[in-house]
Amino acid sequence: ARADPAADMTEHYEDEDEGPRERTLTNLQVMGFIAGFWMRRPWRLTWVVTFALVAIGLDMAMPWAAGRMVDTLTQGPAVAPDAWRWWAIFIGLGVALALVRNIRDKPWCQLAAFNMKEMTDAGFARVQAYSADWHADAFAGATVRKLSRAMWAYDQVSDFLISRFARPLNQRSVSLDTRIGGALADSISGNAAVRSFGAEAREEARIAGVTSLWRDAVIRTWYRFTDIWLVQNLLLAFLQAGLTGLLIHLWTRGEATPGDVVFGVTAFMLMSGYLRNLGDNIRMLQKGLDDAEDLARYMRTDPQVPDTPGARPFAPGAGEIVFEAAGFGYAKSGRRLFSDFSLRIQPGERVALVGPTGSGKSTFVKLIQRLYDVDSGVIRVDGQDVASVTQASLRRAIAVVPQDPALFHRSIAENIAYGRPDATPAQIEQAARRARAHDFIARLPGGYDTLVGERGVKLSGGERQRVAIARAFLADAPILVLDEATSSLDVETEREVQAAMEELMAGRTTVIIAHRLSTVRSADRILVFEDGRILEEGAHEELVRRGGAYARLHAVTLGAA
């Protein structure tokens, strides 16, 4: 028996705005998480720390030089050359400090940009690997906010601890930051489709592409502002030179006392220094640690259904599905749904699952896809234990057409090719024709380049279904799952979609989940589920003649019609 991987997860509490959360981490744990990203590039970090220390030394040397200059001034105009020498040292230290900080901050910008990108990528990959239960409990918008918030929390904490240098962003980097949020929300809200097609790695690569654009743009932005900061500090140094030079000139003429000079120097340093309120600094640091905590916690939480060590790619075959004494129960329900469940679906067979809500139909399909692990027994697809192969390769062999297809806010062509991203335009069009989708696509202003809107809101239910069927045609998987694929369609649209599905089912092992019995008449075998058990099985006419549970469902359907 396999242990429930979710059983040992840390206790969590419910947050009505953001869904389930695990208990909070300590500030030290969050700091350790952030420090782990610093250590990914030790030489760049060493460079930054080294020049930060040099900058501190120069900063501390400036009052010392000012003191020596004042000491010289008190000796009278006779030592004017020495006074000018200390003045030059004082001004040189200011210029050197500005240059050293600039040398420090450009590698720091690179370190921050790379680490913030990788932090977002790692967080997205970890969240994407979480179970279907986790995603059902979490709000996609909250998850996106936690990932993007943690990225900026890294910047806030790092700046406070290393340089306390504020970096505003221009419109380009802000726009790309928004794009990151949109891309994350698009992929996370469509997680069911991503998992169905085993496309996790492709989505991670897509997010990495967006974050790479952001990284490059923000490095240029931060470089620009560090250069502006250098110019500003050089201007301050020249102003300081002018002010102190004027004071010394007045002193040499007896028009200013050493006290006047010291006052001018210290007043200038006070006005131009970095005066920050200690309480504000502490609040900034704490806010950064709090914002990074969610992502730090994600990285400490293992996926609930991981690939087993040494898992091999699934080898697609003819599409045989076998349950051998399988047992399963949802952890939150507290009861077992399947107990000692055994079933064999032959290659190429059409099997329909009917029964009341909660009887186990959808769970049956999720177990085939290994969205959950069975508690006991084994599930084999083409003779391979689904727990011994990689999840992504297994799901690529199972095409799913759900009741409400999850489309991405991308072009129709991209949505159709989601199961086969290397498909040519001709192959995409052929799949659309077979799905009876080409005609409505051709009427759209942008044709196959038309954006469908978030979750496909720009298309009707029937159009979304046909796009999903075209996607399944193109994926060309040996196993097909039709999950209430026509239940929400009008009669005319259902007829068109049904014709497309008949062609799609040809030569494939097909599992049909349906409440409307009109859609299962052509099945080779109908399984009547109740509480995780199969009450009856057989062909439509045979089951009607028996007068059992299926016959009663059929009579109810006829009465409703």
Side-chain angles (χ1 to χ4, degrees):
R2 297 182 182 86
D4 181 3
D8 297 328
M9 287 183 63
T10 308
E11 289 183 27
H12 62 272
Y13 64 89
E14 295 292 330
D15 185 307
E16 62 182 8
D17 295 323
E18 300 185 1
R21 293 182 61 193
E22 294 179 5
R23 287 186 173 178
T24 58
L25 303 181
T26 65
N27 283 343
L28 187 61
Q29 288 173 318
V30 180
M31 278 301 308
F33 167 71
I34 293 175
F37 284 89
W38 292 338
M39 298 310 298
R40 291 186 176 191
R41 295 173 174 83
W43 287 109
R44 188 165 289 165
L45 180 65
T46 300
W47 174 282
V48 171
V49 172
T50 299
F51 277 91
L53 293 174
V54 172
I56 291 173
L58 291 172
D59 212 4
M60 294 178 65
M62 289 189 67
W64 170 78
R68 303 288 74 76
M69 181 173 64
V70 171
D71 287 343
T72 304
L73 295 178
T74 60
Q75 298 176 28
V79 293
D82 289 338
W84 284 113
R85 178 164 54 85
W86 282 113
W87 170 82
I89 293 173
F90 178 73
I91 298 305
L93 287 171
V95 173
L97 178 60
L99 292 172
V100 167
R101 283 177 173 170
N102 186 262
I103 294 171
R104 174 201 64 188
D105 285 337
K106 285 193 173 179
W108 183 241
C109 290
Q110 289 185 343
L111 183 69
F114 274 91
N115 285 347
M116 290 164 73
K117 167 193 157 44
E118 291 175 7
M119 179 180 286
T120 304
D121 294 347
F124 174 73
R126 179 57 59 94
V127 166
Q128 190 170 235
Y130 286 164
S131 69
D133 267 353
W134 191 95
H135 282 278
D137 290 338
F139 293 98
T143 303
V144 169
R145 184 160 57 88
K146 289 173 183 178
L147 292 177
S148 59
R149 190 172 58 195
M151 178 179 72
W152 290 111
Y154 166 91
D155 189 53
Q156 194 172 38
V157 172
S158 299
D159 280 351
F160 173 76
L161 293 177
I162 301 297
S163 65
R164 296 191 294 179
F165 175 51
R167 306 183 190 101
L169 300 178
N170 64 8
Q171 291 183 345
R172 171 65 175 165
S173 53
V174 169
S175 174
L176 286 169
D177 176 51
T178 303
R179 182 174 171 184
I180 289 175
L184 286 170
D186 191 34
S187 292
I188 291 174
S189 62
N191 181 263
V194 174
R195 296 169 73 88
S196 294
F197 286 93
E200 287 91 340
R202 183 147 39 90
E203 286 300 306
E204 291 167 20
R206 178 173 172 270
I207 293 298
V210 177
T211 55
S212 292
L213 290 174
W214 172 87
R215 178 199 64 203
D216 295 341
V218 85
I219 286 176
R220 290 194 297 270
T221 299
W222 289 345
Y223 273 12
R224 183 179 308 159
F225 279 97
T226 54
D227 288 338
I228 291 173
W229 182 83
L230 172 63
V231 171
Q232 290 173 340
N233 278 275
L234 290 175
L235 288 174
L236 284 174
F238 289 132
L239 288 173
Q240 190 175 39
L243 174 62
T244 53
L246 174 62
L247 290 170
I248 292 176
H249 174 69
L250 293 174
W251 170 79
T252 60
R253 297 176 56 182
E255 298 177 8
T257 67
D260 294 332
V261 177
V262 172
F263 174 80
V265 171
T266 54
F268 184 88
M269 293 178 66
L270 286 173
M271 288 186 291
S272 63
Y274 298 99
L275 299 179
R276 296 188 179 184
N277 182 273
L278 180 60
D280 289 340
N281 286 339
I282 294 174
R283 282 194 295 271
M284 182 182 75
L285 176 62
Q286 186 61 58
K287 182 179 184 301
L289 292 173
D290 290 343
D291 287 347
E293 181 191 334
D294 289 306
L295 181 53
R297 187 168 51 245
Y298 288 162
M299 301 308 295
R300 292 167 64 92
T301 304
D302 293 330
Q304 295 78 35
V305 185
D307 282 338
T308 56
R312 62 185 184 280
F314 176 75
E320 180 188 52
I321 302 171
V322 177
F323 280 64
E324 297 178 0
F328 174 75
Y330 289 103
K332 292 184 178 180
S333 69
R335 70 180 182 89
R336 289 174 68 80
L337 182 59
F338 292 116
S339 295
D340 198 28
F341 183 90
S342 296
L343 177 70
R344 180 176 183 269
I345 299 177
Q346 299 177 2
E349 186 179 12
R350 294 186 187 183
V351 175
L353 314 181
V354 300
T357 300
S359 60
K361 305 184 301 298
S362 296
T363 302
F364 177 87
V365 170
K366 291 175 181 177
L367 291 174
I368 295 172
Q369 296 176 281
R370 204 187 164 216
L371 295 176
Y372 300 94
D373 270 332
V374 292
D375 304 322
S376 59
V378 67
I379 300 173
R380 301 185 190 278
V381 177
D382 288 325
Q384 302 161 77
D385 184 349
V386 296
S388 68
V389 299
T390 60
Q391 297 175 63
S393 63
L394 170 67
R395 293 167 191 158
R396 282 195 291 267
I398 305 172
V400 180
V401 181
Q403 177 181 2
D404 183 18
L407 302 185
F408 299 97
H409 184 32
R410 305 171 195 174
S411 70
I412 290 180
E414 287 177 288
N415 274 284
I416 292 176
Y418 198 78
R420 187 178 163 191
D422 58 346
T424 65
Q427 291 169 329
I428 293 171
E429 182 177 327
Q430 182 186 21
R433 289 183 182 277
R434 296 180 70 184
R436 289 23 173 211
H438 174 75
D439 289 344
F440 90 77
I441 295 173
R443 290 194 297 268
L444 296 173
Y448 284 85
D449 294 327
T450 300
L451 295 176
V452 303
E454 188 172 358
R455 300 191 65 82
V457 294
K458 293 183 179 180
L459 304 181
S460 69
E463 290 169 343
R464 288 197 299 270
Q465 287 288 4
R466 279 173 278 184
V467 169
I469 293 172
R471 186 159 61 185
F473 266 119
L474 199 57
D476 197 25
I479 298 174
L480 174 65
V481 175
L482 303 176
D483 188 357
E484 299 281 2
T486 63
S487 62
S488 60
L489 305 180
D490 60 77
V491 175
E492 182 178 351
T493 303
E494 180 185 6
R495 190 176 298 114
E496 294 180 5
V497 172
Q498 191 67 44
M501 290 195 303
E502 283 293 329
E503 183 178 344
L504 178 61
M505 289 187 285
R508 307 179 200 276
T509 301
T510 306
V511 178
I512 307 168
I513 300 177
H515 287 294
R516 295 163 65 170
L517 302 187
S518 60
T519 62
V520 303
R521 288 175 177 269
S522 63
D524 299 320
R525 186 165 39 138
I526 298 172
L527 307 179
V528 183
F529 274 73
E530 183 178 275
D531 294 329
R533 298 177 296 113
I534 297 177
L535 293 182
E536 298 176 324
E537 62 177 297
H540 171 77
E541 297 297 339
E542 175 188 354
L543 292 176
V544 170
R545 285 195 303 269
R546 286 185 193 175
Y550 182 83
R552 290 192 296 273
L553 288 172
H554 183 252
V556 171
T557 301
L558 291 178

